[in-house]
Amino acid sequence: AQTVTQSQPEMSVQEAETVTLSCTYDTSESDYYLFWYKQPPSRQMILVIRQEAYKQQNATENRFSVNFQKAAKSFSLKISDSQLGDAAMYFCAYSPTGNQFYFGTGTSLTVIP
Amino acid sequence: GAGVSQTPSNKVTEKGKYVELRCDPISGHTALYWYRQSLGQGPEFLIYFQGTGAADDSGLPNDRFFAVRPEGSVSTLKIQRTERGDSAVYLCASSSTGTSGGAGYNEQFFGPGTRLTVL
């Protein structure tokens, strides 16, 4: 069974600083996808960044980057230069095919002005 | 429409009643997904449609849950004999096509969800 674990229920960061959100997952597959989604109070899930397991290079999207450690089954999200609009729930997700997603329990990020 | 829409945004019902939740995907998207998000949890996969057919319904918790997509566009999630444990936010997502492992990935765009409360 595939599981996704986010061990930090809540995190806070000072505006303009950097924060790292942790995620580990369990799978026996060799090819899969990993994602970070942001869910603001509006409930709409927004894709932040994705990583294909076959790619060794860590994905980067502007201020967002990941540290993908395949052997350790770890997939952390780094947010640089944090902004007030980054405050939200962040969910890590795993997908073996790109269709069925398995989500973690989320990390609530607070950005302190 | 510009994005995925879901109606109603909130639904309150009594235990034992029947409910229908509607999802309008992005125009032209052939793949559609339903998830359930309980309080304090991440979304949980329920079912995935490719066109009109259910390609994967392994996440449906029991036979009280059923979903249809008769014309390959709008989808309806149907819950019979609702129970208090069914209370959750039901999310819908669509993508331009489903993904067959290794064939690339198409982003899933999510709607705002329907909050179902069973009293």
Side-chain angles (χ1 to χ4, degrees):
Chain A
Q2 294 95 345
T3 59
V4 178
T5 302
Q6 294 179 248
S7 59
Q8 306 155 314
E10 297 179 346
M11 290 284 284
S12 62
V13 62
Q14 206 75 30
E15 193 176 4
E17 296 296 310
T18 296
V19 65
T20 298
L21 308 184
S22 300
C23 173
T24 59
Y25 59 95
D26 184 32
T27 183
S28 58
E29 303 289 337
S30 58
D31 290 326
Y32 48 86
Y33 302 87
L34 295 165
F35 308 85
W36 278 98
Y37 274 88
K38 171 184 178 181
Q39 187 177 43
S42 67
R43 298 197 306 240
Q44 195 149 4
M45 301 283 282
I46 302 165
L47 178 64
V48 174
I49 198 166
R50 78 167 189 265
Q51 175 85 40
E52 289 89 345
Y54 68 87
K55 291 185 178 178
Q56 294 185 342
Q57 186 172 7
N58 289 324
T60 299
E61 288 287 344
N62 300 315
R63 298 182 295 107
F64 300 88
S65 61
V66 299
N67 184 3
F68 173 47
Q69 302 289 329
K70 191 173 184 179
K73 298 180 182 175
S74 171
F75 183 63
S76 61
L77 173 70
K78 185 171 82 170
I79 306 174
S80 304
D81 185 26
S82 297
Q83 301 176 359
L84 295 177
D86 295 334
M89 283 292 292
Y90 285 81
F91 290 95
C92 176
Y94 160 91
S95 180
T97 62
N99 294 321
Q100 184 182 38
F101 280 27
Y102 298 90
F103 286 86
T105 52
T107 296
S108 177
L109 178 66
T110 300
V111 180
I112 303 166
Chain B
V4 178
S5 62
Q6 294 186 245
T7 54
S9 58
N10 289 283
K11 174 71 176 178
V12 180
T13 191
E14 294 180 343
K15 179 183 173 184
K17 299 290 188 181
Y18 168 82
V19 297
E20 291 189 350
L21 311 180
R22 177 185 168 110
C23 173
D24 283 79
I26 292 172
S27 178
H29 278 191
T30 59
L32 185 145
Y33 311 80
W34 282 100
Y35 297 85
R36 176 170 69 175
Q37 186 174 18
S38 301
L39 189 63
Q41 301 295 315
E44 172 191 8
F45 171 81
L46 296 177
I47 187 170
Y48 149 53
F49 286 91
Q50 182 62 261
T52 60
D56 183 349
D57 64 357
S58 62
L60 294 177
N62 52 59
D63 61 6
R64 295 187 298 106
F65 288 75
F66 190 70
V68 296
R69 196 185 184 201
E71 297 179 357
S73 178
V74 171
S75 176
T76 304
L77 179 66
K78 308 180 180 191
I79 311 174
Q80 299 176 323
R81 304 183 305 279
T82 52
E83 300 177 356
R84 293 194 178 90
D86 298 335
S87 295
V89 173
Y90 289 82
L91 296 168
C92 176
S94 70
S95 68
S96 59
T97 185
T99 301
S100 178
Y105 167 78
N106 290 285
E107 182 179 347
Q108 292 189 21
F109 294 86
F110 283 78
T114 293
R115 181 180 298 281
L116 175 66
T117 303
V118 182
L119 301 177

